[in-house]
């Protein structure tokens, strides 16, 4: 009986892995394989055009980052973007979700309207905002009409990155709003009823019931926001025509990786090292966020 049981167990395990094999193959070929190859490239000087060559350079690609001025600028721009966009989009998403969940008239219509930016292609959305940000575009016309100063949103180094931030906060908050809306449906009404009996107002109920109850969801939203903002590329590329300008003001780490990988000869290995360093940075920041949020204490 024991031998039959063991044979049956192996047979079931073999059948399971057989069904999993297509997924495992795709995972190895398109995810794990490229990651391992990128790590390999990070320790080599790579020449892909003409005669392909790989010269082992050890940690030289990583040491080069300390003397790379553009890498420091890109890191600073990326960190500034993350620090501003992630809190703003999280707070805006929570406020929008709480407002739509309050039972306002026409809330289904507003849910659709708010979610529309998420359905739009990132490239198309960026082109629309570039038209709006034009010196003679919609935003400057509105600012001029109300007596406020206009800006050269795309050409001014002091404003260009802020323009991308505004666009992304507006475009990404609705996606996280839907996540918050789903979570708000699970909060028991009895908690709010008990708070009303104790004399709590709307703000007190929101701050002492809604916000703590949504802490695990907020942790997820922040983590997803961190990963997405650290990887900012397409908007910066379209806004600057791939240069990261004006004056490197919209240069991000991922855009710099692209430039070194595909615009400069012989720097593919250095680009891979930058990508590897960015992945480590995202991993560390995510761990710190989860530690600070104390998510585990809620379960």
């Amino acid at each position: 009986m024991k031998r039959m049981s063991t044979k049956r167990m192996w047979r079931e395990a073999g059948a399971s892995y057989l069904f999993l094999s297509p997924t495992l193959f795709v995972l190895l070929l398109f995810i794990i394989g490229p990651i391992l190859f990128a790590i390999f490239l990070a320790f080599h000087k790579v020449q892909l055009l003409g005669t392909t060559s790989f010269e082992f350079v050890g940690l030289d690609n990583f040491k080069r980052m300390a003397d790379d001025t553009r890498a420091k600028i890109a890191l600073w721009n990326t960190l500034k973007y993350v620090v501003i966009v992630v809190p703003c989009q999280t707070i805006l998403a929570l406020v929008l979700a709480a407002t739509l969940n309050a039972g306002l008239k026409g809330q289904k219509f507003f849910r659709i309207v708010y979610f529309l930016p998420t359905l739009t292609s990132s490239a198309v959305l960026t082109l629309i905002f570039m038209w709006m940000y034009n010196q003679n575009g919609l935003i400057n016309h509105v600012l001029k009409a109300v007596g406020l100063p206009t800006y050269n949103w795309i050409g001014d180094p002091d404003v260009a990155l802020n323009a991308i931030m505004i666009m992304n906060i507006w475009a990404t908050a609705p996606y996280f709003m839907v996540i918050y809306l789903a979570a708000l449906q699970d909060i028991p009404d009895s908690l709010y009823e008990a708070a009303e009996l104790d004399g709590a107002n709307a703000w007190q109920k929101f701050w002492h019931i809604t916000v703590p109850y949504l802490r695990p969801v907020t942790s997820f939203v922040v983590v997803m926001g961190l990963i997405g903002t650290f990887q900012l590329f397409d908007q910066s590329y379209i806004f600057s025509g791939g240069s990261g300008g004006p004056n490197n003001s919209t240069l991000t780490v991922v855009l710099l990786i692209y430039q070194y990988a595909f615009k400069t000869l012989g720097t593919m290995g250095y680009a891979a090292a930058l990508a590897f360093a960015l992945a480590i940075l995202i991993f560390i920041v995510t761990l710190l966020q989860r530690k600070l949020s104390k998510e585990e204490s809620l379960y």
Side-chain angles (χ1 to χ4, degrees), residues 36-109:
L36 295 177
F37 185 60
I39 295 174
F40 168 80
L41 293 178
F43 296 93
H44 290 77
K45 182 179 180 181
V46 184
Q47 177 64 42
L48 295 180
L49 298 178
T51 303
T52 303
S53 63
F54 300 91
E55 179 186 346
F56 182 75
V57 294
L59 297 175
D60 288 355
N61 285 329
F62 295 94
K63 294 176 182 177
R64 179 177 172 181
M65 298 178 195
D67 300 322
D68 190 345
T69 303
R70 297 190 77 232
K72 295 176 183 177
I73 294 173
L75 179 61
W76 169 248
N77 289 339
T78 303
L79 290 176
K80 184 165 62 172
Y81 178 84
V82 170
V83 168
I84 295 176
V85 172
V86 172
C88 289
Q89 71 184 12
T90 303
I91 294 170
L92 180 59
L94 177 57
V95 171
L96 289 175
T99 303
L100 291 177
N101 195 59
L104 299 176
K105 290 184 179 180
Q107 63 179 1
K108 291 184 179 179
F109 169 77

Side-chain angles (χ1 to χ4, degrees), residues 7-193:
K7 291 177 67 175
R8 182 178 179 181
M9 181 182 67
W10 280 106
R11 193 184 306 117
E12 291 178 352
S16 301
Y17 282 110
L18 180 64
F19 285 116
L20 283 173
S21 58
T23 302
L24 293 175
F25 175 75
V26 172
L27 186 67
L28 288 170
L29 183 63
F30 295 105
I31 298 179
I32 298 178
I35 290 174
L36 295 177
F37 185 60
I39 295 174
F40 168 80
L41 293 178
F43 296 93
H44 290 77
K45 182 179 180 181
V46 184
Q47 177 64 42
L48 295 180
L49 298 178
T51 303
T52 303
S53 63
F54 300 91
E55 179 186 346
F56 182 75
V57 294
L59 297 175
D60 288 355
N61 285 329
F62 295 94
K63 294 176 182 177
R64 179 177 172 181
M65 298 178 195
D67 300 322
D68 190 345
T69 303
R70 297 190 77 232
K72 295 176 183 177
I73 294 173
L75 179 61
W76 169 248
N77 289 339
T78 303
L79 290 176
K80 184 165 62 172
Y81 178 84
V82 170
V83 168
I84 295 176
V85 172
V86 172
C88 289
Q89 71 184 12
T90 303
I91 294 170
L92 180 59
L94 177 57
V95 171
L96 289 175
T99 303
L100 291 177
N101 195 59
L104 299 176
K105 290 184 179 180
Q107 63 179 1
K108 291 184 179 179
F109 169 77
F110 286 111
R111 286 183 185 182
I112 296 173
V113 171
Y114 288 158
F115 194 67
L116 283 177
T118 305
L119 302 177
T120 308
S121 165
S122 176
V124 173
L125 195 65
T126 304
L127 291 173
I128 293 173
F129 267 82
M130 285 184 69
W131 167 75
M132 294 172 62
Y133 282 140
N134 191 282
Q135 283 187 295
N136 296 317
L138 178 63
I139 294 179
N140 277 344
H141 278 300
V142 172
L143 292 174
K144 189 184 295 183
V146 297
L148 294 175
T150 60
Y151 297 97
N152 183 8
W153 295 92
I154 300 175
D156 187 349
D158 296 328
V159 180
L161 186 61
N162 297 330
I164 298 178
M165 290 180 187
I166 294 171
M167 179 189 68
N168 276 293
I169 291 170
W170 178 82
T172 55
Y175 170 76
F176 296 121
M177 175 197 73
V178 173
I179 298 174
Y180 273 124
L181 270 173
L184 284 169
Q185 308 299 319
D186 292 333
I187 301 180
D189 293 333
S190 58
L191 294 178
Y192 294 108
E193 293 169 359

Side-chain angles (χ1 to χ4, degrees), residues 3 47 98-99 117 129 131-133 140 152 169 178 184 200 205 209 220 226-227 229 232 267 280 283 294 297:
R3 183 181 301 175
Q47 177 64 42
T99 303
F129 267 82
W131 167 75
M132 294 172 62
Y133 282 140
N140 277 344
N152 183 8
I169 291 170
V178 173
L184 284 169
K205 287 189 290 184
I209 297 177
F220 170 78
L226 286 171
I227 295 172
T229 50
L232 174 67
T267 55
I280 296 297
F283 179 72
K294 299 179 181 178
S297 64

